[in-house]
Amino acid sequence: MFKRIAFIMAVLLMITGIAYAQPSWTQVPLRTAAQRDAGMMGGEGMEIIRGISYAPSNPNILYLVSDVSQVWKSIDGGPWQMKHNGFLANGGLSLAVHPTDPNIVFVAGTSNNPLDTTTCSMDNGPVVSKCADGIYKTTDGGENWVMVKQTPFYDLRDTAKIGGNNFAFAGANIYAGTHRNGLLKSANGGATWQALTLPENIGTIGREILDVKAHPQDSSIIFIAVNRASPSDPVLYKLTDKLSENGPVMLERIGSGLASLTCNTLEPVPVARAIAINPNNPDIIYVSMGLCSVYKSTDGGITWFQTYIPSITNESIMAIVIDPINSSKIYLLSESKLFISQNRGDTWTQLNTLPYNKNIYTSLAVNRADPNIMFISYANNTNGSIISTCVLKSVNNGQLWISTSLINNNSGPYQGITRIKAHPVSDTTYFAIMDC
């Protein structure tokens, strides 16, 4: 379902003639700050784009998933179209497009429930119960969706834990990191899933899997970032899966130095959220450590050191993207800034070109065929409340940004008016609902 932003339109009718004065609009939040803090669904603060991704095999196709308006698709950089037939969850945490088939997409569908231990029950129907949470798959470019695995995905309510992906394609296998059912593996395109037996409660409440990345040159190796509440909990894991060769599944803790970080009092126990691996030299790995900025390894994750990024204070890293053509070039998106490194993260330059300085930027996608084309999603933040969310596009490597929406006003771009109603008493007041 859409998150909708309501406006009151006061139209002053002139006494003479049939001319109208310029209408004015007043924004009306659909959720109070107290309701937001209590975790209530809907209204302001609830529509955030969680993931945006190009199809690896077709750079003209782009998908995104938001927390309450499900899945959208754009072709050739054109208008976004909602693709949600059969998608029962309110929205999703992340999505992944098949490496060679742009019509196959997996989404971690969620109804954005806070953490709890409620058992899924079909008594109330999947649309209104937690049973709508799970892994969704489309094979026709988003026209139709099917839940291929029911499993809860929770709203962790923390921007320091945003930025990862729950899916990784590794050769013929697909891995899915869950919040309650551990690490899942499918060897048949997502038709069935096997839970890998892993220690240390990986993929359970409090130890939710936040990111899964496959080794770019060895499909048996998977890197996993896991949520944690204690400094004694591991940050990252390296999994070697030899089941297809009748071998074992081996799990190794990596990043021991990251576990003891105490760089920011706002996040006393930082977590590894987004992992990025250099495709040409997989020993080079980058990881965002919440409010503790970005760390880099040059030995496959054994040792780590911080990469200095100027002008970031109390901000989470929302995305790390390695340029698909030049692996020495890295893009880094924080909540309010975009940085580029030309030398594998040794130094960074901030691009002071992003508009709408009240925004929280949430995800970044770089075109695989032409890295000059980039998309950034954002949530418009006004007086501490998120009132809208949309997508920006650049065709010159971030030097200039334009909105991909249809309507623009002082509060940022919107997709368009979906419904308008007259006031039941006043003939000069109207209510409009906008989809973004």
Side-chain angles (χ1 to χ4, degrees):
M1 71 187 258
F2 290 96
K3 168 240 181 187
R4 294 184 164 98
I5 300 175
F7 290 82
I8 297 177
M9 181 176 71
V11 183
L12 301 177
L13 285 74
M14 298 182 65
I15 302 298
T16 59
I18 313 181
Y20 293 85
Q22 176 68 30
S24 62
W25 294 86
T26 302
Q27 297 173 352
V28 180
L30 297 184
R31 182 175 70 159
T32 66
Q35 290 172 327
R36 177 198 63 206
D37 295 340
M40 294 184 180
M41 291 288 300
E44 73 177 342
M46 286 308 296
E47 181 153 348
I48 298 177
I49 294 173
R50 297 292 194 184
I52 185 168
S53 177
Y54 275 101
S57 61
N58 188 339
N60 295 320
I61 296 178
L62 193 67
Y63 294 90
L64 68 79
V65 62
S66 87
D67 58 351
V68 294
S69 67
Q70 302 174 323
V71 186
W72 296 70
K73 181 181 180 180
S74 174
I75 299 176
D76 294 329
W80 291 91
Q81 294 183 330
M82 194 177 191
K83 301 291 184 180
H84 66 142
N85 185 47
F87 196 100
L88 303 178
N90 287 346
L93 290 183
S94 63
L95 62 82
V97 188
H98 192 278
T100 60
D101 188 340
N103 291 315
I104 297 178
V105 186
F106 289 85
V107 175
T110 178
S111 297
N112 290 289
N113 292 296
L115 292 174
D116 60 48
T117 57
T118 303
T119 301
C120 170
S121 170
M122 296 297 290
D123 294 341
N124 296 322
V127 175
V128 294
S129 76
K130 193 174 295 183
C131 296
D133 286 19
I135 299 172
Y136 287 82
K137 177 186 178 182
T138 179
T139 59
D140 55 11
E143 297 300 324
N144 298 280
W145 294 86
V146 176
M147 182 195 288
V148 293
K149 176 65 177 179
Q150 193 284 322
T151 183
F153 289 101
Y154 300 109
D155 179 6
L156 298 179
R157 304 184 183 279
D158 189 343
T159 57
K161 298 172 183 177
I162 294 174
N165 199 313
N166 297 90
F167 303 98
F169 294 95
N173 299 319
I174 307 165
Y175 293 87
T178 74
H179 288 179
R180 202 178 205 178
N181 298 120
L183 182 68
L184 304 180
K185 173 186 175 182
S186 176
N188 54 11
T192 59
W193 296 84
Q194 171 192 5
L196 300 181
T197 302
L198 301 179
E200 302 182 1
N201 298 319
I202 294 174
T204 61
I205 293 178
R207 296 285 285 156
E208 301 86 1
I209 295 176
L210 304 179
D211 195 16
V212 183
K213 290 292 189 299
H215 192 288
Q217 298 177 10
D218 186 344
S219 61
S220 70
I221 297 176
I222 306 295
F223 294 90
I224 307 169
V226 181
N227 194 16
R228 65 197 192 113
S230 169
S232 62
D233 293 331
V235 178
L236 294 169
Y237 294 91
K238 177 183 177 181
L239 181 140
T240 303
D241 179 3
K242 297 292 185 178
L243 287 178
S244 61
E245 304 172 7
N246 296 319
V249 174
M250 297 172 288
L251 188 70
E252 175 187 358
R253 294 180 180 183
I254 61 173
S256 59
L258 301 176
S260 59
L261 292 178
T262 56
C263 57
N264 195 306
T265 57
L266 297 177
E267 188 185 7
V269 183
V271 298
R273 190 55 175 109
I275 304 169
I277 307 172
N278 188 308
N280 299 319
N281 184 354
D283 284 338
I284 300 177
I285 307 174
Y286 307 88
V287 61
S288 69
M289 288 299 300
L291 298 177
C292 292
S293 192
V294 174
Y295 281 73
K296 176 182 177 181
S297 174
T298 58
D299 54 15
I302 299 174
T303 59
W304 298 82
F305 57 91
Q306 187 176 23
T307 65
Y308 173 72
I309 304 171
S311 306
I312 291 185
T313 303
N314 297 335
E315 286 191 28
S316 291
I317 305 302
M318 311 302 281
I320 305 174
V321 178
I322 297 175
D323 189 283
I325 293 178
N326 177 9
S327 61
S328 294
K329 188 174 184 178
I330 308 166
Y331 306 89
L332 188 145
L333 182 70
S334 74
E335 294 178 48
S336 68
K337 302 176 181 68
L338 176 64
F339 299 86
I340 293 181
S341 173
Q342 303 284 356
N343 51 17
R344 298 181 177 179
D346 291 341
T347 58
W348 298 87
T349 300
Q350 180 182 345
L351 292 183
N352 296 306
T353 55
L354 290 176
Y356 311 116
N357 59 9
K358 293 182 179 180
N359 290 343
I360 297 175
Y361 298 101
T362 58
S363 56
L364 167 68
V366 180
N367 190 291
R368 293 176 178 270
D370 182 1
N372 287 311
I373 302 175
M374 308 164 65
F375 286 84
I376 285 179
S377 62
Y378 69 91
N380 185 273
N381 184 15
T382 301
N383 297 325
S385 297
I386 297 174
I387 63 171
S388 68
T389 179
C390 280
V391 181
L392 296 171
K393 177 183 179 181
S394 175
V395 296
N396 54 11
N397 206 232
Q399 299 304 311
L400 179 67
W401 296 90
I402 59 174
S403 170
T404 61
S405 305
L406 300 179
I407 293 179
N408 198 349
N409 64 16
N410 291 334
S411 297
Y414 298 93
Q415 294 285 352
I417 295 175
T418 60
R419 192 167 301 168
I420 188 165
K421 292 286 186 180
H423 193 282
V425 177
S426 171
D427 58 1
T428 62
T429 302
Y430 296 80
F431 297 89
I433 295 177
M434 314 188 83
D435 66 0
C436 193

